[in-house]
Amino acid sequence: MLGYAFRRLLSLGISLWVASAVVFLVVEVAPGDPAAYMLGTGAQPDTVAALRTELGLDRPPLARYLAWTGGMLSGDFGTSYTYRTPVAGMIADRLWVSLPLALYALALSTALAFPAALYAAARRGRAGDLAVMGATQVGVAVPNFWFAMLLVLVFAINLGWFSAGGFPGWTDPAAALKALTLPALALALPQAAILARVMRSALVDILAEDFMRTARAKGLSRRQALWRHGVRNALIPVLTIVGLQFSFLLAGAIIIEQVFFLPGLGRLIFQAISQRDLLVVESVVMLLVFAVILVTFLTDLAYAWVDPRLRRRR
Amino acid sequence: MNARIVPGAALAVLVAGAALLSFAWTPGEVTGVDIPARLQPPSAAHLLGTDQFGRDILSMLMVGARTSLAVALVAVGIGMGLGVPLGLAAAARRGSWLDEVIMRGNDLVFAFPSLVIAILITAVAGPGAVNAIIAIGIFNVPVFARLSRGAALPVWQREFILAARVAGKGAPRISAEHVLPNIANLLIVQGTIQFSLGILAEAGLSYVGLGAQPPVPSWGRMLAEAQTLVAIAPHVALMPGLAIVLTVLGLNLLGDGLRDALDPRLRSTR
């Protein structure tokens, strides 16, 4: 297990290194002169030259890349050109909205999918199973931001149970969670539909295994056998999907934040794009990619821990 | 005939037909502004109502379908065109440095969700439908590369491959003539699924302003414009969403149905 973890850690490091090089190349080298790009076409040459010096663009790309990655490793993401504040601080503030939103959605998605999958698998081929599978088929097809608008229409505008958008901050945790409930639900539903389908088919496979027949033969009821032996074994494929979903939820949160006017990473990155604040775009993108790579790494480790056969080298 | 292919294909043909028809005819105005007729609910004159400029929503949806279908279709083409040869090459040279480089490159691209690619491209090149195509297309490449490598590996163990090698055929020719036809079914099914995911992704990108720009109509941007009107004219927000759901649902049903019909071993509802 340790050897496997070490190999995966090495590959994690290489992935992060290559990914950061790609992001740097696309943002800072490909468009030519980032300073001229950030100031727009009407800028005076001396203004561009001043910004070049301020951003350190007069240094060679390799030195800039090393300074950027070195800074990120020590928590210094540079200073935003538009806001004149440290990018790390801006990201940290926004992360307190986006990360809880993604985690809340992950919890909701799991809470919705598990009972639905268990219900459907236990009634395989019967009306209940078909109803759940039909519902998930539709759930997979629903764009989360449209579902978010429907939730606003029903629960905020018509019923008045929730506010239609905005975020009060974490000083009052109950109010903050309430403000994140509709966004989290909108993010969670399509993911729950996918998760329920995967979990149901994993359970159906396991119900056909010999050890399930043995469990029934020794006197367990269908329900007991499903809970004691089925669920635990079905968790292996489900774990991978949950890991994958976290990345999707973090990216999806960026879109959902636009529906509910939440001050999260999404708002930050779209403002940065319209203001051509490349350093902010670069840092937020790198953070998102880092999150995806890290979660994949953790999922691989968890998977190998659950199923020792996977630790062997491919 | 499978029970899911028929409704799935019917929905897909309906949407594609509406998109094609919109080149020749639409029931109402798509570009003109007719303020007295704004925000009308569905009626005989406007089957799905009108939007904030008095434009006919059904006509907008028909023209918007072109954008959705074109973006998703080209993105699948990019994914297949690059991904399948990479996957076949990796399978043909299994365990070699080439295989390793292709598969690690795949893992790397997987770390960039299409939204993040679109953000990167837009930040340096500005928004547009072409960015959406590239972003979704790049995201599709590792999907097809991984699928074709995985499917091609067992094919390489078969006797007819050995016969082809004895006959003196090289790996590229064997991949094209013998391996590809054996994994084509799988690619078609995955293509349908990626097509439907592409439509969802395009809608999301257009919704946040990273995809198609005005005046090109798109379902995602119709939803973005309808957002502030949802309280006074819900139909303006409902219709484009329903169009997306029905299209994606149709393609998913078609994909599932095709998978069951082409390869009974992969049947999903066991």
Side-chain angles (χ1 to χ4, degrees), chain A residues 2-313:
Chain A
L2 260 179
Y4 175 83
F6 181 74
R7 277 200 305 274
R8 291 297 304 147
L9 196 63
L10 192 72
S11 132
L12 169 86
I14 295 173
S15 300
L16 284 176
W17 171 60
V18 181
S20 65
V22 170
V23 172
F24 181 82
L25 281 174
V26 170
V27 176
E28 293 210 16
V29 182
D33 185 354
Y37 177 78
M38 285 166 82
L39 290 170
T41 43
Q44 300 293 324
D46 52 338
T47 326
V48 176
L51 182 62
R52 280 184 68 87
T53 318
E54 188 196 320
L55 296 175
L57 293 175
D58 36 11
R59 288 178 296 159
L62 184 66
R64 273 154 50 206
Y65 170 74
L66 291 177
W68 177 59
T69 45
M72 276 196 302
L73 287 176
S74 60
D76 174 16
F77 287 60
T79 305
S80 156
Y81 173 68
T82 328
Y83 295 100
R84 302 279 167 190
T85 48
V87 176
M90 293 167 74
I91 290 181
D93 287 349
R94 311 306 181 98
L95 210 53
W96 273 105
V97 178
S98 299
L99 196 61
L101 174 58
L103 290 173
Y104 193 177
L106 193 67
L108 278 179
S109 147
T110 317
L112 289 169
F114 267 54
L118 280 168
Y119 178 86
R123 284 161 192 75
R124 182 182 141 212
R126 285 190 270 156
D129 180 25
L130 292 179
V132 172
M133 284 300 98
T136 59
Q137 187 77 264
V138 174
V140 171
V142 172
N144 53 19
F145 59 93
W146 181 63
F147 184 57
M149 288 162 74
L150 297 185
L151 287 177
V152 168
L153 181 64
V154 174
F155 293 104
I157 295 173
N158 288 342
L159 294 172
W161 293 356
F162 295 90
S163 68
F167 186 69
W170 285 102
T171 41
D172 180 359
L177 275 181
K178 196 181 169 197
L180 291 182
T181 298
L182 288 188
L185 200 57
L187 267 174
L189 181 95
Q191 301 298 326
I194 298 172
L195 191 59
R197 292 181 80 85
V198 172
M199 176 139 196
R200 175 195 168 276
S201 80
L203 280 171
V204 165
D205 282 347
I206 280 159
L207 285 175
E209 294 276 353
D210 290 341
F211 64 79
M212 291 303 286
R213 197 172 342 121
T214 310
R216 293 295 305 281
K218 76 175 185 190
L220 293 185
S221 72
R222 258 182 97 85
R223 186 180 299 265
Q224 285 170 326
L226 190 65
W227 273 102
R228 287 196 203 157
H229 302 282
V231 172
R232 198 183 296 174
N233 282 289
L235 279 179
I236 297 169
V238 168
L239 202 60
T240 322
I241 300 291
V242 170
L244 269 177
Q245 288 201 326
F246 182 72
S247 329
F248 277 108
L249 288 172
L250 205 56
I254 289 178
I255 294 184
I256 289 295
E257 282 167 12
Q258 303 299 303
V259 185
F260 292 95
F261 307 103
L262 296 175
L265 284 179
R267 178 90 68 83
L268 179 66
I269 203 161
F270 290 119
Q271 275 172 354
I273 287 177
S274 61
Q275 289 154 345
R276 304 188 166 198
D277 199 336
L278 287 181
L279 194 61
V280 173
V281 174
E282 196 176 50
S283 303
V284 177
V285 163
M286 198 53 225
L287 185 78
L288 291 173
V289 172
F290 172 72
V292 175
I293 293 179
L294 184 70
V295 170
T296 312
F297 167 73
L298 293 176
T299 317
D300 279 353
L301 280 193
Y303 209 105
W305 182 61
V306 175
D307 188 346
R309 282 167 299 182
L310 292 164
R311 288 175 211 162
R312 265 181 258 137
R313 209 177 154 74

Side-chain angles (χ1 to χ4, degrees), chain B residues 64-78 128-137 140 194-195 197-203 205-206 211-212 216-218:
Chain B
R66 289 186 215 161
T67 315
S68 289
L69 296 182
V71 168
L73 197 64
V74 178
V76 170
I78 294 175
V130 175
N131 293 349
I133 291 177
I134 298 174
I136 304 168
N140 279 339
Q194 294 308 119
F195 190 45
L197 289 176
I199 285 174
L200 278 177
E202 191 277 333
L205 292 178
S206 297
V216 179
S218 95

